[in-house]
Amino acid sequence: MTLFRGTVLDTPDDPFAGGSLRATADAGLLVHDGVITERGDFGDLHARHPDEDVVDLSGGLVLPGFVDTHVHFPQVRAIGGLGLPLLDWLEQCALPEEARLADLGYAESVAAEFVSGLAQAGTTTAMVFGAHFAPAVDALFTEAARVGLRVTSGLVVSDRLLRPELLTTPQRAYDEGKALAERWHGVGRTRYAVIPRFSLSCGNELLDSCSQLLKDVEECYFTSHINENTREIATVARLFDLSHYLETYDQHDLIGRRSILAHNVHPTDAELKVLASRDASVSHCPTSNSALGSGLFPLTRHLAYGVRVALGTDVGAGTGFSMLKEALQAYFMQALLSEQGFQLEPAHLLHLVTNAGANALGLADQAGDLSVGKRFDAQWLCPAADTTFDVALRNASGAEDALAKAFTLGTTADVRGVWVDGEPIDVSVI
Ligand SMILES: [Zn+2]
């Protein structure tokens, strides 16, 4: 057993439903076989368990590991392609890079950089958009398993309107996806997701094959994009004779409790109603939406309809792996929406990057906060002495204020340690 010591902040009670931040100064968390078995005052716990190893994380903050619900494995090296709207950015920045993952050696290097990027940012769980090439997806799962992160991912499929080397057929998509799922779904911390890139690049037969795979792999996940950009939405409307974008997926039974749709910046009320009725989740990606000029996310409308919302970095349209930055950008965007925006407090931000993501991924019983009975998936955020973040933390008026400082000033460089199931994660690129 290990006794972790530190100032612990988490949000087991949903702040969007009246809950508030839970803050325990000088807390002790006793961890046995990866599970938190006791939580309380460090002095009390240490007195009762004097022989256990102590990991002292005093100074800074201990937070639950972050959950990134939308991030693209093949786009690590495409981060920073500023100045373009979605479809031009895909054409000029993202897709040429994604095509390079046909080379397995290249894909293995990117997989190492990608998994390390998540871990360095304090992210312990992620829904990952894989590559268009099965061996590259296998390389991603192999690296995620080696490092020890909780990764749900899969083969990305398309059969039209992208560069030819990224296209597949419905049968091949099914066969390759099935083989990957058999190898990785429910193995250790990895799980499989069916991933059509977006309906713009996927015809009905391909979406049918996705539907079949989703049915054939028990408790399989689904993820894709929706309603990101007005030109994309207009193109999808031309390609499908349906009442709205969501129906392109929903008519193939792809939308349910284990579905996460990225963006949804421009939803209709009908779509929000269907998303809520299917209990599906939306991944809001604010730095990506800002960088591509996609629009301001209507969080208030999602909440009004009862649609689950979590956050994603959307690397590489997003500006990096930091969920601290992502949460701050979410706050900015709601502030810019003035009376139509939702006034996000620090506890809301923490919840969006932890419990909300774990909930979207069906992992709420294991991750998302640091309660007794959950796995010890955590990070130690501790700035170097005398940096502005350090000064701000030392002078914070209380836990809420300290958390606000963390979201405002914290970076990946301040993540001093990361644990999954109580085991330290090596964040270096091998
Ligand atoms: Zn994306």
Side-chain angles (χ1 to χ4, degrees):
M1 290 196 285
T2 305
L3 183 55
F4 290 89
R5 176 183 196 177
T7 295
V8 180
L9 306 184
D10 59 1
T11 53
D13 297 322
D14 185 354
F16 290 96
S20 53
L21 178 68
R22 176 169 65 175
T24 317
D26 203 20
L29 297 174
L30 191 65
V31 176
H32 181 53
D33 280 345
V35 177
I36 301 166
T37 54
E38 286 187 56
R39 174 178 167 140
D41 176 71
F42 173 76
D44 291 347
L45 254 69
H46 190 44
R48 282 191 286 114
H49 302 278
D51 300 328
E52 303 305 339
D53 290 339
V54 172
V55 176
D56 193 345
L57 310 177
S58 302
L61 304 171
V62 176
L63 303 179
F66 290 144
V67 183
D68 187 339
T69 55
H70 185 69
V71 56
H72 292 252
F73 148 52
Q75 295 179 6
V76 186
R77 300 182 188 187
I79 294 172
L82 301 178
L84 298 166
L86 173 68
L87 298 180
D88 299 317
W89 177 82
L90 277 172
E91 194 66 28
Q92 294 171 40
C93 285
L95 299 182
E97 176 62 15
E98 296 216 10
R100 292 186 190 107
L101 274 83
D103 178 322
L104 180 57
Y106 190 90
E108 286 170 341
S109 299
V110 173
E113 294 159 4
F114 175 81
V115 174
S116 168
L118 289 174
Q120 286 176 45
T123 296
T124 50
T125 298
M127 169 63 99
V128 178
F129 241 72
H132 286 268
F133 308 99
V137 177
D138 195 63
L140 168 70
F141 276 126
T142 302
E143 181 64 5
R146 188 190 69 77
V147 174
L149 301 188
R150 296 188 203 284
V151 164
T152 305
S153 187
L155 182 69
V156 177
V157 297
S158 289
D159 66 351
R160 65 182 179 194
L161 297 174
L162 303 185
R163 43 201 299 147
E165 62 269 45
L166 298 181
L167 302 182
T168 187
T169 63
Q171 188 63 50
R172 189 175 145 211
Y174 180 91
D175 293 343
E176 291 181 347
K178 188 86 190 313
L180 283 164
E182 280 166 4
R183 190 159 144 85
W184 294 107
H185 186 57
V187 176
R189 297 169 189 149
T190 62
R191 301 179 308 174
Y192 197 74
V194 171
I195 314 180
R197 185 164 198 117
F198 55 164
S199 16
L200 189 147
S201 67
C202 302
N204 277 318
E205 280 182 30
L206 183 63
L207 292 169
D208 254 341
S209 94
C210 289
S211 178
Q212 193 57 51
L213 185 56
L214 195 59
K215 287 189 184 88
D216 292 349
V217 178
E218 205 178 330
E219 302 215 341
C220 186
Y221 275 74
F222 172 81
T223 192
S224 193
H225 295 103
I226 193 166
N227 290 323
E228 180 174 1
N229 162 291
T230 49
R231 210 177 114 209
E232 167 219 11
I233 296 167
T235 309
V236 169
R238 270 200 308 279
L239 290 165
F240 293 88
D241 187 22
L242 295 168
S243 55
H244 51 65
Y245 198 149
L246 181 62
E247 215 176 331
T248 65
Y249 303 122
D250 196 39
Q251 66 167 352
H252 296 280
D253 295 329
L254 293 166
I255 305 302
R257 177 65 185 90
R258 287 189 294 276
S259 305
I260 298 180
L261 290 164
H263 302 304
N264 213 29
V265 178
H266 309 282
T268 62
D269 289 335
E271 288 174 305
L272 290 170
K273 211 175 280 182
V274 175
L275 283 169
S277 72
R278 300 279 185 278
D279 213 8
S281 298
V282 165
S283 177
H284 169 35
C285 307
T287 70
S288 165
N289 294 164
S290 303
L292 299 174
S294 301
L296 294 166
F297 181 72
L299 177 59
T300 307
R301 286 175 62 217
H302 282 74
L303 295 173
Y305 278 95
V307 178
R308 297 172 190 276
V309 176
L311 290 197
T313 58
D314 198 22
V315 158
T319 60
F321 287 99
S322 175
M323 294 295 282
L324 293 168
K325 179 163 67 167
E326 213 57 54
L328 181 65
Q329 190 68 22
Y331 168 83
F332 288 156
M333 292 177 95
Q334 294 308 308
L336 288 167
L337 279 163
S338 57
E339 69 275 2
Q340 278 151 34
F342 186 93
Q343 182 65 51
L344 289 166
E345 307 281 341
H348 292 118
L349 300 181
L350 184 60
H351 193 265
L352 283 170
V353 295
T354 56
N355 297 85
N359 200 350
L361 277 159
L363 294 168
D365 58 330
Q366 301 176 47
D369 61 67
L370 297 168
S371 298
V372 170
K374 297 219 178 177
R375 321 293 304 184
F376 187 79
D377 287 9
Q379 62 182 302
W380 183 32
L381 202 58
C382 187
D386 299 329
T387 56
T388 306
F389 181 20
D390 175 53
V391 171
L393 264 189
R394 282 193 278 108
N395 291 284
S397 59
E400 287 264 350
D401 192 32
L403 190 57
K405 311 291 195 215
F407 282 114
T408 310
L409 291 165
T411 70
T412 57
D414 301 306
V415 177
R416 199 82 77 85
V418 181
W419 293 261
V420 173
D421 283 340
E423 296 294 326
I425 296 295
D426 179 0
V427 303
S428 58
V429 182
I430 300 293

